[in-house]
Each structure stands twice: as structure tokens, then as C-alpha cells.
Amino acid sequence: MSPSGIDADPRILGQLLAAQSTLSVFSARQRMGEFMHRAVEGMPGVASCAVCLPGGARPRLGGEPAAECAACDVPDGDIDHDPGHPCRLASRANMRVFPLRTQDRHFGFLLLQVEERERYAPYEPFVGNLANGLAVNIERQWHRDRLEAANVELRRHRDHLEELVKERTAALQLGLERARHLNAVLRAIRNVNQLITRARDRDRLLQEACAILAETRGFRCVWFVAVTPDGRFEAAAEAGIGAAFARVRAQLERGELPECCRRALASATPVVVADPVANCGACPVAPQYRDTAGLAVAMRHLGKTYGVLVAALPAEMADDAGELSLFCEVAGDLAFALYDIDLGRQHQRAEAASGRLQEQFQQAQKMEAVGRLAGGVAHDFNNLLSIILSNCSFALEGLGEGDPRREEITDIKEAGERAANLTRQLLSFSRRQMLQPRVLDLNGLITDLHKMLPRLLGEDIAIVLALAPTLGLVRADPGQLEQVIVNLAVNARDAMPDGGRLLVETADVELDEDYVRRHVTGAVGPFVRLTVSDTGCGMDPETQAKVFEPFFTTKEKGKGTGLGLSTVYGIVKQSNGFIWVYSEPGRGATFKVYLPRVTSAEQPWRPANGAETLRGGDETILLVEDDAEVRAAATRALRNLGYRVLEADGLEAARRVAASAAAIQLLLTDVVMPGGSGREVGLAVTAAHPAAKVLYMSGYTDNAILHHGVLEPGVAFVQKPFTPDVLGRKVREVLDGGDPGPPA
Amino acid sequence: MDRSPRPAVMGFTDELFPTGTHMCLIYDHEDERRGVIGRFLDAGLQAREKVAYFADTMAPVEVAAWLRDMGVDVPRQGNAPGFSITVAEKTYCPDGRFAPEAMLSTLRAYHQSVVDQGYPGGRVSGEMSWALRGIPGSDRLMEYEALVNDVLATHPITAVCQYDARRFDGAAIFDVLKVHPMMIVHGRIVRNPYYLQPHEFLQPAR
């Protein structure tokens, strides 16, 4: 029972309790206001009610206060920040105004217009609780709204975060793909570099590099075109194209470079062809590469272009700057490899040339050794032969025609002459023979020799001359040059035991650098070529390699000295020429002698008439010779011709004789003597007798009066061994000739 | 035929309530509704009761789908002898208008089928928002709800009537309280102190 003495109606209390239980179901203020209004309207003692919820429901009061309630100007939508506006009806006596308030917020009012206070009074506390419950529910909903807003914001952040994670994951995935690709690239570069370090063959290098790049780089195809420095096609290799590449190769062999190659060769940067199908119409393989991009880059190293590297790759890879850079790097590496292979080839060629030079050097050393040996014995040997030959001549002069001793002495003389010839050949191949070069016409020399060649070669060998109608002149020792032709002819004869044909040709030739490079030796310029060919048994390469070596012979023992061709070689070399042999077994041999062509105003040399009678004289001759027997032989030969001979055995004796003699017309002196050379003798004698002419004699001069084996101009010389006839003719020639003084 | 109530498992609460309990679910959130109703139907199926659902905001197939998502063993075809999902409007207003008497007869017949078919019980739940579309007779909904209490007393079908507090206005919701002896608030069953016996509710206002 209430203080008023009126009991509360349980049904009304149930109504209020049910309302309180259900309030929490609502989230919308509108619905809460409606529900609350229905819950309290019609309560005992209440005339009208209102739930004032700005921003939510604002059911107004009815009846008398309705106008004033309706005039309330608290704006809608301001409740979150409303500090708790006063209700202007609160002070009215018949109004029960319940603030809808929590500790922190004020949302509005529940207003009851009470007309019967006593009847209403029992419900007052329940209505108050209901108002509080409504406030709490509003605030809870207010928090829920904010929570929901926060959740929305949170979801937004979460979604954003998820987006970020997706982006990062995608970026990471991209990074991983990139890393995988780079790994493949590095593997390709490593494989190519390994290939480069071991590759020694260009074609193999290019082929294997193509295969590596196609396998490890994800290229649809790879091909190389190697070109010469002037852009001509040299070689090509491919991987990933197969048989269709034959059409590209055919195009290349016709000299037609594909468009991408031409552009790459003209560019310092790689050429990217976006759509090969559309942009490489003339290329036979382009239609195979739909959805790809073409990439072409010139392979260059140290400014030299070696070719073009071409690839078809997935279009997206062609846009990657790193990909392009690595592609260029591979092209550069391969260019370096091609450069290295070139270098290796050049090195091999140089080594081969060096080997040939080494062989020539060894040959020269061998010749030098033999030459020294020959020179060493030639001096004494020739002195001995001079004595033998002179004394044979003297002995024969003293014997009657029918004297039986005459034949024996003649045999001795002929043996001496063969020995002299052998000595001369020894000096010739070792290039220590004294040369007396003359400007001469080789055709004339051959024509003169042609008369005696049939006797030398025999009837079974036909001799054919093919001489150039006009031929340049050469400077050579005529006697030595005859020796060359005779020795080559004799060599040919021995190669044709059953007969054959000997062809002797002459021609003017110009040798260029290419010839010199191919033959290692020789010189660029005008030459006269003497060619001696036979139709004999020929030679194998091993024989050819040794054919000019001294004492090398294919003839049976006792039939050859092994000096014939080595003499030829020595004479030719000493005459500043060179010789080559071409031969094959069973197909004959051809020797080509090249002698420098000269231009000279001199009249070409012609041989003296050998039939001229030997003349003597009464001039005074000073004979200087350290070998007493040679001196005696020479003195006798000269005196037999009527000359007055003064003798001396060396420089000092010569001085004394010269000092005491009234006149000396000719000094005949040995060149190599102990105590003073022939040159010093000449100077000393001509100092005392300026009009005296000088004639040197020697078996081996060792450069005492020679310059590189060639007699100096104006110097008269007679070669030991000599016969009285040879000596007499030479003395007469000098006495009748110009004014050969001593060498300067 | 034994028509006496017996304890039934509601599913969304541990407390047992007698069959024939008439409850209203006043809800403001879909998740809350699905949680309560899903468990309620599942408990019925688990108890091998005959179960019927009257759908309004969702098509029957959608209801079946969310029930399956919740783990409720819904027959593959949706409807089966012991379980049915029908369109609420067609169930409540089969002739295009709402007639409380007809629907009450339907309830009685449903209960009879439960008994005849040997089910240990029957339960139904219906979405009531169809009544907001101005269908003729829908203004008699509260009258119907009041009379349901009498029918269920003799034909104990356990029933949950669903009222969406976002769609029914506050005053209507308050009236719903008058005709349901039990309210489900936030998943709990509350005995309604404001409940009026059918004859009280239906007597003319003084």
C-alpha cells in the first residue's frame, strides 16, 4: 500500500515491469520512445505523457501543456552534446518530469501530466526506474553505436591493412620472382663465362652459348650472327628455332642481314622489337614468335664488332632495364671471347712463324759452323793446291809430248782441280766464297750455258728454255750464278735417270706483302725469277725440308757430295736472293730463284774471250806471300812470263824491299798473313810506290778485303788455288787495266 | 491421445519449458534472431519433434541454407515429413487475407498431424513481419495471438513468434507483450508480467 493508502494495481506494475524487461531489445531511440510512451500512457492518475528525446522520438504532451511542450525549441540531433537542457514544464505542479540521465549524459525527459496525484503515487517509483532504465538503454545504445562506428573504422583499418598486406605480399612475390629470374640470369652468365674460359673454337662457342641462354634464361630462341669487321656474314648459330633457321642462314649467306641485326650493328644500345610478327615481316622465323619481344645487340670489344646476339623473349621481360643490361653484358662477354679466340689464332700463327724462323736460324748456325770449318781449312788447302797445280803445270811444260810421265802428272793436276772445286763449293754454301758481282743479263748467261748443258745432262733429257723476252738485270757473280744453274741442272738430271724434260724459265716478278707473309722470308719489291723445273721423281715433304742442307743427299754413297743444292742455296743467299722448292713425289720438282732486280747504267757484263793468248811482260812485281812454296810457285810462273819478281814473306820484308827497289809496277800480295795483312802491305808499298798496282790473292779472305763477302770496288783479286795460266792472265789484266790501288 | 504438456528442450536456454509454450522473440539484430531460432529448431529436430518454420524475410531455401551453416541437420530437400519451411504469408494468409480462425485451425491440424504421425511433440516458429504489409485481416493479428494461447493449451505446440523491433513500431511491440506469456529477451526466456489472458485481452475496453 502506498502512503496515499491506495494499492498499486498489479497489472499496472506488470505492465511497467514488462516494459522495463523489454526496453533493452531496442536500439533505435524512435522505437524506444514509442515503446516507453505506450508503457506509461493510460496509467492511473495520468492525463497525458511525453517522451522527449531530441534526435529520437518526441511524442508531445497532450491536453493543456501541449502548446507549451510543442513550443520547446531544444533542437533535434544535439543530444550527444546536450549538457542537460531544462524542461520549462518541470516547475509546474501537475507535471512529473523524469530526466533521462546517466552519470555522464543527459538525453531528455519523461513527462507525465498527473491529474490525480493519489492514484498515480503508487507507481511513481516504478516509473522512475523505467525512466532510468530507458536512460541506461539509450546510453548503452549510444556506446554500442560508437562501438559499431569504431568497429566500422577498425574494419576499415583492417581492410586497409589487408590491402597493404596484399600489396606487400604481391610486392614480395614480385621480388621473389625477380630473385628467381636473377638467379637464372646469374646461372646463365656463370655458364657462359665458364664456356668462354674453355672455348677455343668460335663456332662451338657460339653454338653452346645459344643453348645455355635458351635453356637458362627463358628465351624462346637465341641466335648469333658473326660478321667481319666490315659487316659481312661469317657464321651463325641458334638454339630454339631448329630447322626453320635454315631459311635465315640462306638469307645471311646471300649477304642479307635481318632488320634487327642491321639496326643493332648501327646502334650503340640494344634494339627492342616490340612485336616481331608485326615488325619483322622480312624475317623468315618472325611468325613463330607471337606474344614475344625481339632483342638484338651488337657484340663489341675494344671497338671491334664481332656480330649480333638476337633473342626472342616474353614481352614483359623486354621492358626490364636490368634484363637489357644483363643481355648486353652477355653480348660483351661473348665479344671478349671471340676477341680472345682471334688473339689465340694470331698467337698460333706467330708461333708457327717463330718456329720456321727458329729452324732457319738453326740452319744458319749449321751453315755458319760448316763455313767456319771450311774457311779454316780453305786458306791452307788452297795454298797447297796452288803449289800442286802450279808445279803440275811446270812439270808438264818440262816434259815432251810423248813422255809417259805426262799422263800421271795430268791425273795429279785434274785431282787438284777437283779438290779446288770442292773447296770452292764448301766456301759457297757457307757463303764465304768471295763474290765478284757484276750487273748482268740472266738470259745471256743462260743462253751461253745452254751450249754446254746437253753434254752435262745427256741425250735423254730435253732442255727447254722459256726466257722472258725482256728481262730485268741482276747484280751477281757470273761464275757463281753459272754454278747455281749448273748445280740445279745436275740435280734435275739425277732426278730423271730415265730421261725427261728440263725447263728453264725467266721472268720479272713483283713480290707483295702477302707473298712475303706466306713464305716468311723474302722481301717486297721487283725481282728476276729463275725457274728450273724437271719431270723427275719429285720429293716428299721431308726431303724438301732437308734439300738445302750440306752433305744431305738421296744418291747412293760415292755418287754425290751433298753439296750441290747447298751451294746453290749459299750463293743465292749471298747474292741477296732467295730460293723456294715445290715438289711432290712422282710429279717432278720446281726450283724458283729470286734475285733482286736492279736498274743500272752499267753495260751488262759479258764473258772474256777465253781463246786470247797468254801474254807476259817485263814489269817489276813485288810478290808478298808467307808460304815459301806458294811464293816459289808464283815467282816461277811470273818469271816464266818475263816479269822481274821481288819476293817478301811478310809486311816487314815488303817494306824493306819496297824501300830499296827503284820501281815497282805491281804488288801481288797474299791477304791473310801473320805479322800484317795484305791490306797493310798494300798501304805500305803504295806509300813508297804510288804508281804500283795491287793484286790480292787468297784462298779464304775472312773479310780482310771483302765487305760481306763481296770484293770492294776497285780491288783486284785472284782466287787461290791458281794455275800459272790463271795467275799470268790476271796479272796482265791488272797491269793493263785501270788503277786498282789498295782498299781505302 | 495424450495432450498434456511435458517438458521440452528449447535449445537456446538450459531451462526446460512445457510443450505448448507460446513465446515472442522481440529482436533488434539478425544474429540474435538466427542464434535463438536456429537452436530452437535444432532442439526440436534432435528431439524428433515435428518442426515447421514460416519464413518471411528470407526464402525457404535461404533459411535452409543458414540452418545448415549453423550445423542444423536440415533435410536435403528442405521439406520432409518431420520438417517444413514454408512462406509465412501463404501459411497465415492462404487466401490472401488473414483470418485468425483459419490459422488457429491450421495449428490444431498441425498438432493433430504431430500426434497422428507419432511425433513426441511439435514446434513452430514464424516471422510476423508479413503483418506490416497491409494484408487484409492483418489488423487482427493480436487477436489471433491472444487466441493462440487457448489453442496451445489444448494442442500443445511449442511456438515462437518473431517480431522485428526495427520494423514494428514501439507501441505495437508493447501490445505484443500483452498476448505472449513468455518473452525471449537477449536469448533468455522471461515470464511476462504484463501478459493478459485471452479473454481479458479480448474483452471490450471499458
Side-chain angles (χ1 to χ4, degrees):
Chain A
M1 185 183 289
S2 71
S4 62
I6 297 174
D7 289 334
D9 181 345
R11 197 175 299 171
I12 300 300
L13 291 178
Q15 176 181 334
L16 295 175
L17 282 173
Q20 186 139 20
S21 298
T22 313
L23 259 180
S24 63
V25 166
F26 298 97
S27 59
R29 288 178 192 172
Q30 172 77 28
R31 294 285 181 260
M32 288 184 220
E34 291 163 356
F35 185 81
M36 191 64 168
H37 191 266
R38 175 60 65 93
V40 296
E41 72 177 352
M43 282 182 58
V46 173
S48 69
C49 69
V51 181
C52 176
L53 278 175
R58 297 181 78 174
R60 303 295 182 170
L61 288 170
E64 177 267 327
E68 193 169 356
C69 181
C72 176
D73 57 359
V74 174
D76 286 350
D78 195 29
I79 64 162
D80 290 350
H81 308 289
D82 183 1
H85 65 275
C87 177
R88 62 183 67 182
L89 298 170
S91 57
R92 295 174 70 137
N94 64 338
M95 291 300 300
R96 287 297 296 133
V97 177
F98 299 91
L100 300 175
R101 182 199 302 274
T102 64
Q103 189 173 357
D104 301 319
R105 296 177 194 284
H106 173 237
F107 300 106
F109 302 96
L110 170 64
L111 299 98
L112 301 179
Q113 182 190 4
V114 179
E115 58 182 3
E116 294 176 71
R117 188 170 292 275
E118 290 76 14
R119 285 187 66 204
Y120 163 73
Y123 308 108
E124 167 86 6
F126 300 97
V127 174
N129 282 340
L130 192 57
N132 287 339
L134 179 59
V136 167
N137 197 50
I138 291 172
E139 185 174 65
R140 193 186 62 188
Q141 196 55 47
W142 183 84
H143 283 298
R144 188 181 288 175
D145 289 345
R146 263 133 204 84
L147 193 61
E148 184 60 30
N151 278 337
V152 168
E153 185 67 10
L154 201 60
R155 275 198 295 275
R156 197 178 64 77
H157 281 297
R158 190 192 61 198
D159 292 346
H160 178 61
L161 202 61
E162 283 177 355
E163 279 299 313
L164 280 179
V165 169
K166 275 185 195 167
E167 284 173 16
R168 298 277 163 84
T169 305
L172 189 64
Q173 191 66 27
L174 203 64
L176 282 173
E177 288 295 326
R178 180 85 185 132
R180 278 195 206 101
H181 179 65
L182 282 175
N183 272 335
V185 166
L186 290 175
R187 202 161 48 245
I189 289 178
R190 183 198 63 193
N191 291 347
V192 169
N193 283 337
Q194 283 176 353
L195 173 64
I196 285 169
T197 54
R198 64 171 191 270
R200 290 292 171 267
D201 175 77
R202 181 195 63 186
D203 293 345
R204 196 171 162 202
L205 166 77
L206 296 182
Q207 186 55 58
E208 290 189 12
C210 277
I212 288 171
L213 291 176
E215 282 169 16
T216 56
R217 293 291 297 276
F219 293 159
R220 294 273 302 280
C221 72
V222 182
W223 40 293
F224 287 104
V225 176
V227 298
T228 59
D230 57 357
R232 282 181 291 115
F233 167 68
E234 263 194 331
E238 64 83 23
I241 299 178
F245 193 67
R247 283 177 288 157
V248 177
R249 192 181 290 279
Q251 206 178 45
L252 290 167
E253 283 167 354
R254 288 197 302 271
E256 299 166 18
L257 279 178
E259 173 70 13
C260 60
C261 295
R262 281 205 303 275
R263 285 175 58 196
L265 287 173
S267 169
T269 56
V271 171
V272 179
V273 182
D275 180 0
V277 178
N279 299 316
C280 303
C283 179
V285 295
Q288 292 178 223
Y289 296 99
R290 199 168 293 284
D291 302 327
T292 67
L295 205 52
V297 64
M299 297 189 291
R300 295 190 178 98
H301 183 73
L302 295 179
K304 184 177 175 185
T305 301
Y306 290 88
V308 186
L309 169 61
V310 185
L313 66 170
E316 64 273 14
M317 281 169 70
D319 295 333
D320 186 335
E323 183 66 39
L324 291 183
S325 166
L326 290 166
F327 190 71
C328 293
E329 193 175 317
V330 169
D333 288 349
L334 288 168
F336 169 76
L338 294 173
Y339 159 81
D340 193 44
I341 288 171
D342 263 6
L343 213 58
R345 284 180 181 164
Q346 287 173 19
H347 184 64
Q348 280 178 348
R349 281 198 292 269
E351 277 191 338
S354 168
R356 285 195 293 272
L357 285 173
Q358 184 68 22
E359 283 174 19
Q360 288 180 351
F361 176 67
Q362 286 170 354
Q363 178 73 2
Q365 280 185 317
K366 198 156 45 178
M367 302 282 267
E368 177 68 20
V370 175
R372 282 184 184 280
L373 182 66
V377 300
H379 178 257
D380 295 333
F381 201 53
N382 281 336
N383 275 349
L384 294 173
L385 287 172
S386 294
I387 295 163
I388 291 166
L389 292 172
S390 295
N391 283 299
C392 283
S393 295
F394 298 146
L396 287 171
E397 284 170 10
L399 294 173
E401 286 297 320
D403 194 316
R405 290 172 294 177
R406 204 174 173 84
E407 187 179 345
E408 294 162 351
I409 292 170
T410 300
D411 285 348
I412 294 169
K413 190 183 176 194
E414 285 176 359
E417 284 171 346
R418 284 203 301 275
N421 190 42
L422 200 60
T423 309
R424 192 162 52 248
Q425 293 206 63
L426 274 171
L427 290 171
S428 292
F429 81 74
S430 59
R431 289 175 246 169
R432 278 169 170 77
Q433 176 68 310
M434 192 205 69
L435 298 184
Q436 298 183 61
R438 302 277 196 277
V439 171
L440 58 87
D441 171 22
L442 188 57
N443 280 352
L445 193 78
I446 293 168
T447 305
D448 289 345
L449 267 177
H450 181 227
K451 296 165 192 164
M452 51 82 67
L453 281 178
R455 284 200 306 276
L456 189 65
L457 302 183
E459 294 174 352
D460 294 336
I461 295 176
I463 301 167
V464 179
L465 299 187
L467 307 181
T470 57
L471 189 68
L473 302 175
V474 297
R475 184 183 294 280
D477 183 315
Q480 296 295 311
L481 207 48
E482 283 176 354
Q483 184 77 59
V484 166
I485 296 166
V486 167
N487 283 11
L488 289 174
V490 168
N491 185 71
R493 178 198 66 193
D494 294 343
M496 299 184 285
D498 300 323
R501 189 184 65 161
L502 177 77
L503 173 63
V504 181
E505 298 172 273
T506 56
D508 283 344
V509 293
E510 295 286 336
L511 299 188
D512 57 16
E513 284 182 357
D514 185 50
Y515 178 92
V516 172
R517 189 166 56 246
R518 283 188 284 115
H519 294 77
V520 179
T521 185
V524 174
F527 284 81
V528 171
R529 185 179 66 205
L530 164 68
T531 306
V532 178
S533 309
D534 64 60
T535 55
C537 56
M539 291 174 279
D540 58 25
E542 289 74 27
T543 305
Q544 285 181 57
K546 294 180 177 176
V547 75
F548 295 119
E549 288 187 10
F551 309 115
F552 174 80
T553 178
T554 57
K555 295 168 193 158
E556 53 189 279
K557 195 170 179 182
K559 290 210 171 175
T561 61
L563 289 175
L565 290 178
S566 59
T567 299
V568 168
Y569 184 85
I571 292 169
V572 170
K573 294 300 283 185
Q574 203 174 355
S575 304
N576 297 321
F578 48 94
I579 182 168
W580 278 99
V581 59
Y582 304 89
S583 182
E584 286 179 37
R587 303 188 69 174
T590 297
F591 288 86
K592 292 185 177 183
V593 175
Y594 294 86
L595 294 169
R597 202 159 76 219
V598 298
T599 51
S600 174
E602 262 180 68
Q603 194 63 27
W605 171 86
R606 293 296 305 160
N609 188 349
E612 194 178 334
T613 307
L614 176 60
R615 292 183 296 113
D618 57 358
E619 288 93 341
T620 299
I621 297 172
L622 171 54
L623 171 62
V624 184
E625 169 61 63
D626 61 318
D627 189 307
E629 289 174 274
V630 173
R631 193 169 66 241
T635 300
R636 183 175 172 179
L638 292 173
R639 282 179 178 157
N640 284 348
L641 290 169
Y643 296 110
R644 182 173 173 254
V645 179
L646 306 173
E647 293 182 58
D649 63 357
L651 176 59
E652 287 310 312
R655 284 189 206 277
R656 285 196 299 275
V657 173
S660 60
I664 294 173
Q665 279 76 41
L666 178 72
L667 167 66
L668 174 61
T669 178
D670 191 12
V671 176
V672 182
M673 292 178 291
S677 70
R679 179 188 291 264
E680 289 170 296
V681 172
L683 289 171
V685 172
T686 54
H689 299 274
K693 294 179 177 174
V694 181
L695 174 59
Y696 293 99
M697 57 179 174
S698 182
Y700 171 62
T701 65
D702 199 18
N703 284 345
I705 56 168
L706 304 179
H707 182 67
H708 295 301
V710 177
L711 196 63
E712 293 179 3
V715 174
F717 181 82
V718 62
Q719 176 76 50
K720 288 180 183 175
F722 48 71
T723 61
D725 183 74
V726 169
L727 179 63
R729 287 181 190 279
K730 190 68 185 178
V731 165
R732 192 66 258 163
E733 180 189 322
V734 174
L735 283 170
D736 293 345
D739 185 22
Chain B
M1 185 169 59
D2 180 10
R3 293 174 185 265
S4 58
R6 51 180 185 76
V9 175
M10 296 294 110
F12 52 88
T13 174
D14 293 337
E15 197 174 354
L16 299 178
F17 285 84
T19 53
T21 300
H22 183 206
M23 295 168 279
C24 64
L25 170 65
I26 298 167
Y27 63 92
D28 197 68
H29 289 92
E30 185 64 11
D31 291 346
E32 179 188 348
R33 179 180 85 91
R34 291 190 182 191
V36 169
I37 298 302
R39 288 185 182 87
F40 173 70
L41 299 178
D42 188 41
L45 290 171
Q46 300 251 3
R48 301 189 181 282
E49 293 181 1
K50 188 168 185 176
V51 177
Y53 186 85
F54 314 133
D56 186 64
T57 57
M58 302 170 79
V61 290
E62 291 174 309
V63 175
W66 70 251
L67 288 173
R68 283 195 200 95
D69 286 346
M70 282 185 69
V72 179
D73 187 16
V74 176
R76 183 163 297 278
Q77 300 303 320
N79 290 333
F83 180 77
S84 63
I85 304 173
T86 55
V87 175
E89 187 174 328
K90 287 182 179 173
T91 305
Y92 286 95
C93 316
D95 301 323
R97 58 179 289 112
F98 178 64
E101 299 78 9
M103 186 59 199
L104 291 172
S105 294
T106 301
L107 270 182
R108 286 189 202 95
Y110 183 76
H111 179 261
Q112 190 59 48
S113 71
V114 168
V115 174
D116 293 350
Q117 292 164 12
Y119 289 98
R123 65 179 68 191
V124 298
S125 181
E127 298 174 24
M128 308 309 288
S129 42
W130 58 268
L132 296 171
R133 291 197 284 273
I135 296 170
S138 57
D139 55 336
R140 296 180 65 196
L141 178 61
M142 289 304 111
E143 176 188 348
Y144 160 77
E145 287 280 28
L147 291 171
V148 164
N149 293 301
D150 287 341
V151 170
L152 295 188
T154 55
H155 300 77
I157 303 296
T158 309
V160 175
C161 305
Q162 302 172 41
Y163 289 90
D164 187 344
R166 294 164 299 185
R167 306 179 74 178
F168 286 90
D169 69 32
I173 294 295
F174 195 81
D175 290 341
V176 168
L177 295 183
K178 291 180 185 172
V179 291
H180 289 87
M182 299 289 177
M183 308 181 293
I184 303 170
V185 179
H186 300 312
R188 288 181 297 108
I189 297 178
V190 177
R191 288 165 183 77
N192 182 8
Y194 186 41
Y195 169 66
L196 300 178
Q197 291 298 327
H199 66 275
E200 290 177 295
F201 179 78
L202 294 173
Q203 71 184 0
R206 281 171 293 181

